[in-house]
């Protein structure tokens, strides 16, 4: 079975994921922009029983634009988010695609919060769009 490792920048906090992600998506919401420091976030989801977590994390919970809560785990040393959980999706963890440092990672199939998308950002032609 394929196994992939997501890691923070300094490497002390990582998550090993078994198999392929159940969903890969992109989010343009302002909270994701501020969390990542980028103009959109790309994330992959796995069932929580298919991931193994290693290292120390700091926890922070925020309420998103839609009112849902998300709990983030990030490295206390370098600050990189390695995974997060969303209240409305129990049993699932989401990981920033960039944490895998793998340009061959499966592409996103959903693009959400496009109302917040920067005008210059172009999504792939076959992606599903949601406002
Ligand atoms: Zn780190
Ligand atoms: Zn978002």
């Amino acid at each position: 079975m394929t196994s992939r490792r997501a890691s923070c920048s300094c490497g002390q906090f990582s998550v090993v994921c078994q198999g392929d992600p159940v969903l890969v998506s992109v989010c343009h919401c302002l909270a994701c922009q501020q969390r990542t420091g980028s103009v959109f976030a790309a994330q992959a989801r796995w069932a929580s029983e298919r991931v193994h977590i290693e290292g120390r994390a700091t926890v922070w919970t925020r309420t998103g634009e839609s009112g849902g809560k998300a709990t983030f785990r990030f490295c206390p040393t370098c600050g990189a988010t390695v995974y997060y959980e969303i209240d409305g999706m129990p049993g699932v963890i989401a990981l920033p695609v960039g944490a895998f440092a793998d340009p061959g990672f499966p592409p996103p199939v959903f693009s959400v919060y496009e109302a917040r998308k920067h005008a210059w950002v172009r999504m792939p032609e076959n992606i599903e769009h949601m406002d």
Side-chain angles (χ1 to χ4, degrees):
M1 193 188 288
T2 315
S3 147
R4 294 182 172 87
R5 180 184 292 266
S7 176
C8 67
S9 302
C10 76
Q12 76 80 18
F13 177 33
S14 65
V15 177
V16 177
C17 304
Q18 299 297 332
D20 287 321
V22 292
L23 181 72
V24 184
S25 62
V26 161
C27 183
H28 304 271
C29 85
L30 299 181
C32 282
Q33 293 188 27
Q34 287 191 309
R35 174 179 65 78
T36 61
S38 185
V39 295
F40 61 87
Q43 53 278 323
R45 294 190 166 89
W46 261 270
S48 48
E49 69 265 20
R50 303 191 81 178
V51 307
H52 177 71
I53 296 152
E54 297 167 6
R56 288 170 297 111
T58 298
V59 181
W60 182 64
T61 299
R62 73 148 150 92
T63 303
E65 282 189 62
S66 56
K69 281 192 166 60
T71 299
F72 297 88
R73 314 275 164 158
F74 55 93
C75 175
T77 301
C78 72
T81 299
V82 179
Y83 78 93
Y84 61 93
E85 294 153 297
I86 297 167
D87 268 10
M89 303 181 79
V92 173
I93 77 161
L95 303 95
V97 171
F100 292 89
D102 174 13
F105 199 87
V109 294
F110 270 107
S111 170
V112 305
Y113 270 105
E114 289 201 335
R116 302 295 201 185
K117 185 170 77 59
H118 287 230
W120 57 266
V121 170
R122 299 287 177 272
M123 290 288 112
E125 268 177 28
N126 56 354
I127 205 163
E128 276 196 62
H129 306 276
M130 295 166 75
D131 271 342

